[in-house]
Every structure is written in structure tokens, then in C-alpha cells.
């Protein structure tokens, strides 16, 4: 959300949370200028790196997709609810 405010020049943000097929998905979409490939993979992108690290820590992942002039979609996917799965505290 901070990234959208700081970088995107968006007028709209959509936040969706959904559960399907044993996965929780959180999607944050904006209608701003769109993040570029260089920006998603740049080593100076510590904010995005931190998001990826935190997703991995809970067994999930982050996907980032930008389309120039259309906006950016960030998707967090985390497996849930399966006994013995990555999110089962019994594995700790
Ligand atoms: N929603 C977005 N729309 C367009 N560009 C974005 C968006 N989010 C991030 N970016 C671009 O990706 C870059 C990397 O984002 P990242 O959050 O990693 O770094 P930052 O926001 O510049 O610095 P910080 O470390 O304070 O988060 C940004 O500098 C910006 O250029
Ligand atoms: Mg940032």
C-alpha cells in the first residue's frame, strides 16, 4: 500500500482475499503506471525483497506483475489448512 502511494500514481487500489484449493491468496492491484521488470528484480528494491522474505517464512510466495500504463498486481499465495502442510504448527 505504501508502494502504491509512493510510486504508482494510481487512482484506485483493489484488495482481494480468497481461499481456494488449500491456498490463501491476497491480491493487491492498482491502476497506476505499472512496475517494470527492472524494478521488480532490482537489488535496490529492499521493500519488495522484504515482502518476498516474509512470504517465504510462512511457506508462501509473492508474484509481482506490472503492465506499463495499466497498473501493478501483487499476489501473496500461502498454503493453509492441510495437516502436516507447511503452515501446520506441528512442524515447528
Ligand atoms: N505499485 C507500484 N507501482 C509502480 N511502481 C512500483 C510499485 N511498487 C513498487 N514500484 C517500483 O519498484 C521499486 C522497488 O520497490 P521497493 O518497495 O522495493 O523499494 P522502494 O519503495 O523504492 O524503497 P523501500 O525500501 O523504502 O520500500 C520502487 O522504487 C518503484 O520504482
Ligand atoms: Mg517500498
Amino acid at each position: 500500500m505504501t508502494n502504491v502511494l509512493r510510486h504508482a500514481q494510481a487512482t484506485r487500489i483493489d484488495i482481494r482475499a480468497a481461499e481456494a484449493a488449500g491456498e490463501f491468496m491476497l491480491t493487491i492491484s492498482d491502476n497506476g503506471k505499472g512496475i517494470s521488470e527492472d524494478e521488480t528484480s532490482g537489488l535496490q528494491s529492499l521493500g519488495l525483497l522484504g515482502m518476498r522474505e516474509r512470504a517465504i517464512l510462512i511457506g508462501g510466495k509473492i508474484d509481482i506483475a506490472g503492465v506499463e500504463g495499466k497498473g501493478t498486481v501483487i499476489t501473496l499465495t500461502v498454503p493453509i489448512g492441510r495437516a502436516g502442510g507447511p503452515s501446520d504448527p506441528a512442524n515447528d
Side-chain angles (χ1 to χ4, degrees):
M1 296 293 286
T2 306
N3 273 351
V4 176
L5 290 174
R6 281 176 64 195
H7 306 298
Q9 295 156 12
T11 58
R12 194 184 157 94
I13 302 176
D14 281 303
I15 302 171
R16 277 159 217 265
E19 184 194 335
E23 288 187 329
F24 171 76
M25 281 179 75
L26 179 69
T27 312
I28 300 185
S29 319
D30 69 63
N31 68 348
K33 65 179 186 174
I35 193 168
S36 69
E37 294 236 339
D38 280 357
E39 288 168 326
T40 55
S41 58
L43 289 176
Q44 75 280 20
S45 303
L46 294 182
L48 297 177
L49 197 65
M51 287 165 56
R52 289 192 199 278
E53 279 181 352
R54 280 172 280 157
I56 289 168
L57 278 175
I58 55 170
K61 63 171 181 160
I62 298 247
D63 289 304
I64 303 170
V67 178
E68 195 176 345
K70 295 261 183 196
T72 300
V73 181
I74 309 249
T75 308
L76 166 70
T77 310
V78 188
I80 47 165
R82 272 177 291 131
S87 58
D88 187 339
N91 290 333
D92 290 346

